[in-house]
Amino acid sequence: RFGLPAVVDVLQKLAAQAARFDPPPLDDRLHNVPLWPLDALLAADLDKLAVFRALADHAADTDDVFDKFLSIAAAAKLLDDWSSQAAADPALRPTFAAAERRGATPAHLDSLLDREFAQPDHSPDLHALRLNLRHISDRIDAIFSR
């Protein structure tokens, strides 16, 4: 079976391997998460909800903790960009709201982090990702409270 989940699996595994061999500076990892798999998927004009689900599913299914982190960070970036677009353009809000009702939420990604990183972790990368998810959640709340 070769569908979007399989493509995401391959791209994310390649991104994780590449990041292992050429890691960004420790103080800037979250900002240097390899986003080329996400960029490639979105450039192919794929449905954003399907891409989000494939990234989240990959994060849930992989045993590689680094790969899991990168997949969640990519899904967070997708939500961040999508929610910014919905905030700026009211015409995009119904589609975004429908995706949110189907689980494309920061809370879903946070729960994936909780499952894998349940132990207290003082990693700046993990802290930055959780903070980013809170900011995205606040933006989404602001969009729908208007």
Side-chain angles (χ1 to χ4, degrees):
R1 186 176 141 204
F2 189 76
L4 180 59
V7 170
V8 168
D9 286 346
V10 169
L11 291 176
Q12 284 303 121
K13 286 176 183 174
L14 287 171
Q17 284 297 91
R20 278 190 181 90
F21 289 110
D22 187 21
L26 287 175
D27 61 342
D28 201 24
R29 275 213 179 129
L30 186 58
H31 301 290
N32 287 317
V33 167
L35 294 175
W36 60 265
L38 176 61
D39 294 341
L41 294 166
L42 295 178
D45 203 29
L46 296 172
D47 178 71
K48 289 179 183 175
L49 177 59
V51 172
F52 176 88
R53 284 184 173 165
L55 287 166
D57 289 349
H58 177 76
D61 294 341
T62 186
D63 293 329
D64 184 318
V65 175
F66 185 60
D67 189 5
K68 185 180 298 284
F69 175 82
L70 294 180
S71 297
I72 294 169
K77 175 67 173 152
L78 172 63
L79 274 184
D80 192 16
D81 292 348
W82 198 2
S83 66
S84 293
Q85 293 166 355
D89 185 353
L92 297 176
R93 291 180 192 160
T95 303
F96 184 76
E100 185 182 34
R101 286 190 300 274
R102 290 182 178 90
T105 65
H108 178 69
L109 298 178
D110 212 24
S111 71
L112 289 173
L113 286 174
D114 286 343
R115 273 188 245 147
E116 182 60 43
F117 304 98
Q119 300 300 319
D121 187 336
H122 302 289
S123 160
D125 298 334
L126 188 57
H127 177 72
L129 181 53
R130 288 189 186 277
L131 186 61
N132 189 34
L133 290 171
R134 272 184 285 221
H135 289 305
I136 296 166
S137 184
D138 291 345
R139 182 183 311 119
I140 292 169
D141 289 345
I143 290 169
F144 296 115
S145 67
R146 294 178 190 170

